[in-house]
């Protein structure tokens, strides 16, 4: 299958130039780098992100969490990513302001609770998707929020939300959607066939250990993606 017609793949939680190259060698389309995201073990400093982005053979997506607009602009101007992905509770108003102030693409995470379909407030998610679309976002990204602990954990949970709900929302989305949350080589083919997203996004599913990518799992993942009809 040609790269243009298959599902796009973003490998997230890239912590080194070495891993960005591994993702590229396997055939992935984007490398995701978290910058100063305190809740993640895979976070990097702005200076480290600059090094990774400048040496990565594939476009870099910079992931930021609940930062001020001026902060985001400052990091983007240093790293020069292909896109910035807003991971937190950033408002449509902030997306609109950023759209005027940065030249890269803007991706916005929207969270679906992990687990059963009754956990998901579908009208609320629908309204969010529309609001971010109207604000000028380029892509949406569905990820799982794990509500089982003391604090909600947004993304990087390794847990899946209800795929049928995700498929329904993606089918009617005004923007292309990446799907994340519990994706790994063993289930990626079924996930793409069920959900039909524009792209998939995964992190822990292709790791050897936290923050270190596994070349074999990356190759297995891309082989599975290529098989989707």
């Amino acid at each position: 299958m040609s790269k243009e017609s298959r599902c796009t793949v973003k490998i997230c939680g890239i912590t080194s130039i070495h891993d960005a190259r591994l993702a590229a060698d396997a055939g992935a389309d984007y490398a995701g780098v978290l910058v100063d995201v305190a809740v993640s073990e895979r976070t990097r400093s702005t200076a480290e992100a600059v090094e990774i982005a400048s040496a990565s053979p594939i476009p870099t997506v910079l992931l930021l969490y609940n930062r001020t607009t001026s902060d985001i602009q400052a990091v983007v101007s240093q790293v020069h990513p292909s896109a910035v992905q807003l991971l937190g509770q950033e408002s449509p108003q902030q997306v609109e302001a950023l759209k005027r102030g940065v030249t890269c693409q803007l991706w916005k995470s929207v969270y679906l609770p992990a687990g059963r379909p009754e956990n998901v407030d579908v009208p609320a998610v629908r309204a969010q998707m529309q609001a971010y679309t109207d604000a000028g976002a380029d892509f949406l990204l569905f990820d799982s929020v794990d509500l089982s602990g003391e604090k909600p954990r947004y993304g990087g949970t390794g847990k899946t939300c209800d795929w049928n709900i995700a498929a329904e929302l993606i089918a009617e989305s005004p923007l292309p959607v990446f799907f994340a949350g519990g994706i790994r080589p063993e289930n990626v083919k079924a996930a793409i066939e069920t959900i039909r997203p524009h792209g998939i996004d995964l992190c822990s599913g292709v790791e050897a250990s936290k923050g270190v990518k596994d070349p074999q799992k990356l190759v297995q993942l891309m082989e599975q993606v290529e098989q989707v009809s």
Side-chain angles (χ1 to χ4, degrees):
M1 186 180 286
S2 74
K3 204 162 179 171
E4 290 73 34
S5 60
R6 71 150 166 79
C7 186
T8 303
V9 178
K10 170 172 163 262
I11 302 298
C12 207
I14 294 287
T15 58
S16 65
I17 293 168
H18 175 262
D19 281 6
R21 288 181 177 148
L22 282 182
D25 290 346
D29 303 285
Y30 293 98
V33 180
L34 293 98
V35 174
D36 295 328
V37 179
V39 294
S40 175
E41 308 85 351
R42 303 172 182 95
T43 192
R44 286 293 174 260
S45 67
T46 302
E48 288 169 323
V50 168
E51 284 183 14
I52 296 168
S54 60
S56 174
I58 51 178
T60 300
V61 179
L62 196 61
L63 287 88
L64 302 173
Y65 182 81
N66 287 349
R67 303 278 286 273
T68 66
T69 301
S70 57
D71 248 9
I72 295 167
Q73 288 172 313
V75 178
V76 166
S77 69
Q78 290 176 70
V79 180
H80 303 295
S82 168
V84 60
Q85 181 183 332
L86 305 174
L87 286 177
Q89 289 73 49
E90 298 86 2
S91 67
Q93 291 78 9
Q94 187 174 16
V95 171
E96 211 171 315
L98 282 166
K99 194 71 189 170
R100 293 191 295 269
V102 297
T103 52
C104 67
Q105 286 188 341
L106 284 174
W107 298 14
K108 181 68 189 85
S109 293
V110 172
Y111 291 96
L112 304 180
R116 297 187 300 277
E118 58 268 28
N119 294 345
V120 185
D121 183 344
V122 172
V125 175
R126 213 176 261 143
Q128 262 192 316
M129 291 163 71
Q130 191 58 57
Y132 288 123
T133 302
D134 294 344
D138 296 285
F139 287 92
L140 296 175
L141 193 135
F142 282 4
D143 204 344
S144 299
V145 53
D146 181 9
L147 301 171
S148 63
E150 277 178 37
K151 283 184 184 169
R153 183 173 172 120
Y154 293 96
T157 64
K159 295 189 175 185
T160 59
C161 65
D162 184 88
W163 283 5
N164 294 321
I165 297 268
E168 183 188 315
L169 288 163
I170 284 173
E172 61 184 49
S173 173
L175 287 176
V177 179
F178 277 77
F179 183 78
I183 303 283
R184 34 186 204 285
E186 298 77 25
N187 69 2
V188 68
K189 192 164 176 276
I192 296 169
E193 287 170 346
T194 304
I195 299 161
R196 292 287 167 193
H198 168 80
I200 53 144
D201 181 350
L202 68 164
C203 180
S204 58
V206 284
E207 284 185 332
S209 59
K210 214 158 256 188
V212 179
K213 296 296 179 261
D214 183 318
Q216 206 174 341
K217 286 181 184 173
L218 284 164
V219 169
Q220 285 169 346
L221 175 87
M222 296 309 299
E223 282 172 354
Q224 291 297 308
V225 171
E226 296 287 351
Q227 284 176 29
V228 178
S229 54

